[in-house]
Amino acid sequence: MLTNVTQGNVSDNTEVVRVSVAEINIMMVTVQVMAGVCLSVNCLLVFTFFRKEAFRTNTRYILFAQALCMDSVMLVLTDFAFLLFYFYIPLPAAACIVLCMLMEILTYTTPLTLTAMCLERYVAICMPLRHADISTARTRLGVILIIWALGSIPPLIDFFILLSSKAQRFYTEKQMCSYEMLFQKQWQSYLRSALSQFYFLVIAFIIGFVYIQIVSAATAASANNKSSTYKARKTIILHACQLLLSLIPLICPFVENSIFEIDLRAYINLRYLDFVAFTIAPRCLSPLIYGLRDEKFFLVLKYYAICGLNKKISPIV
């Protein structure tokens, strides 16, 4: 009797495992397709950017190209990490640390770049006479350096704490990659949460300020300028939605860890949904916001997308 029960339990567990493996296979294929499509579109957009000098000297398009490049690198790194998890391949701790830190930096720099793009629209709409003086090559370089510096602060804090806590042999040990491996003190998770909330509040304040100023400019604008102001306002709203999606991953680990203690199956499903909705989806919105909505960029993009076969479409900007 005991043997029969045991066999029955093993059979039930095996069936559960089979279902889980099938679901994970579907998840893996879905992620590969979505990442492949997004990367293809982003590569075409980046190629279009570099083909025209008018884009390479415009702050708006330079920040857009940086966002595209960061999104593409983030997609490659996260997809690589997903494949490591899928095939259960451990890496040396040193390699995992580099991978996790790069993904964390990109997680912060993406919303910071979008914020800079919103500020650029604010200057262009609300201070058009000063736009040329403010939007210089030196200013663009300074903004880009500030974005990367601010985005690097949180992971560098965790890295230096890890560096001072672990022996040298730790960095050669193989383990599954996870950012939590950088946490050596319990208070680090609280510090990460506090920094994430601080970044979120500052970015939300900037977006709200820019939107109010552009709405005010739209009210006072002449009939000729109302269309461009209205379009800028819609762009800010879309950026706000994209920023919200890109900032949510900063709090996802805390929710996922709570679910992990309750239900492993729910944890796997939630982590997959978070990855698709808040890592891949926001990085698919950039082409829609700028690449397709911007008339000049879309015209050149369309020309190169069809390899210049349609002679009626001019690539000249």
Side-chain angles (χ1 to χ4, degrees), residues 7-303:
Q7 290 175 347
N9 290 338
V10 172
S11 177
D12 293 341
N13 291 337
T14 303
E15 186 64 28
V16 171
V17 172
R18 286 176 182 171
V19 173
S20 299
V21 169
E23 290 176 352
I24 292 175
N25 287 336
I26 294 173
M27 293 177 182
M28 192 273 289
V29 173
T30 303
V31 167
Q32 299 311 306
V33 171
M34 293 182 66
V37 171
C38 291
L39 283 173
S40 300
V41 174
N42 285 356
C43 288
L44 179 59
L45 290 166
V46 172
F47 173 80
T48 303
F49 167 78
F50 282 107
R51 292 295 295 177
K52 290 299 172 184
E53 184 179 359
F55 297 150
R56 300 195 303 269
T57 56
N58 188 303
T59 302
R60 179 184 182 186
Y61 296 111
I62 290 173
L63 291 173
F64 171 53
Q66 173 171 288
L68 285 174
C69 291
M70 290 191 302
D71 288 345
S72 300
V73 174
M74 185 65 171
L75 281 172
V76 171
L77 293 179
T78 52
D79 187 54
F80 177 67
F82 184 82
L83 290 174
L84 290 177
F85 171 78
Y86 174 77
F87 291 108
Y88 201 76
I89 302 175
L91 290 180
C96 284
I97 291 170
V98 173
L99 177 63
C100 292
M101 286 189 62
L102 284 174
M103 290 192 292
E104 187 75 358
I105 290 172
L106 291 171
T107 300
Y108 281 97
T109 53
T110 295
L112 290 171
T113 301
L114 293 173
T115 305
M117 294 169 72
C118 291
L119 288 172
E120 190 277 333
R121 286 294 83 199
Y122 161 72
V123 174
I125 297 298
C126 300
M127 295 183 288
L129 299 179
R130 298 185 59 192
H131 183 258
D133 296 330
I134 296 175
S135 183
T136 61
R138 184 176 180 179
T139 303
R140 288 193 291 265
L141 178 60
V143 169
I144 292 173
L145 291 176
I146 290 172
I147 288 172
W148 283 98
L150 291 176
S152 301
I153 290 174
L156 282 177
I157 292 174
D158 294 327
F159 172 71
F160 286 123
I161 294 173
L162 176 69
L163 202 62
S164 62
S165 304
K166 289 293 185 180
Q168 188 174 359
R169 65 176 181 275
F170 167 79
Y171 302 99
T172 58
E173 297 174 355
K174 290 189 174 182
Q175 52 186 290
M176 296 303 296
C177 290
S178 173
Y179 190 80
E180 283 68 25
M181 66 183 293
L182 275 74
F183 290 168
Q184 299 302 307
K185 309 292 182 180
Q186 186 176 5
W187 55 264
Q188 283 183 257
S189 60
Y190 300 114
L191 176 62
R192 186 192 186 197
S193 176
L195 285 173
S196 301
Q197 292 176 25
F198 174 74
Y199 277 56
F200 177 83
L201 290 175
V202 172
I203 290 173
F205 173 80
I206 293 174
I207 297 298
F209 170 79
V210 169
Y211 181 78
I212 292 172
Q213 293 298 315
I214 289 179
V215 169
S216 301
T219 304
S222 61
N224 294 331
N225 293 330
K226 282 187 181 296
S227 59
S228 61
T229 307
Y230 177 72
K231 188 174 181 179
R233 186 173 62 179
K234 288 180 64 177
T235 301
I236 298 300
I237 294 175
L238 290 171
H239 275 322
C241 296
Q242 190 180 13
L243 281 166
L244 180 62
L245 290 175
S246 61
L247 286 170
I248 288 178
L250 299 176
I251 62 173
C252 282
F254 304 103
V255 179
E256 292 170 358
N257 291 337
S258 300
I259 299 298
F260 178 77
E261 301 294 335
I262 302 173
D263 189 339
L264 179 60
R265 185 184 180 89
Y267 166 78
I268 294 174
N269 292 333
L270 177 62
R271 191 163 189 177
Y272 171 73
L273 290 174
D274 288 343
F275 178 66
V276 172
F278 306 125
T279 299
I280 296 181
R283 286 156 181 82
C284 295
L285 289 178
S286 291
L288 296 176
I289 292 177
Y290 267 81
L292 301 182
R293 292 184 69 248
D294 187 277
E295 295 178 1
K296 294 181 180 179
F297 198 91
F298 178 70
L299 184 64
V300 182
L301 175 67
K302 188 176 180 180
Y303 175 83

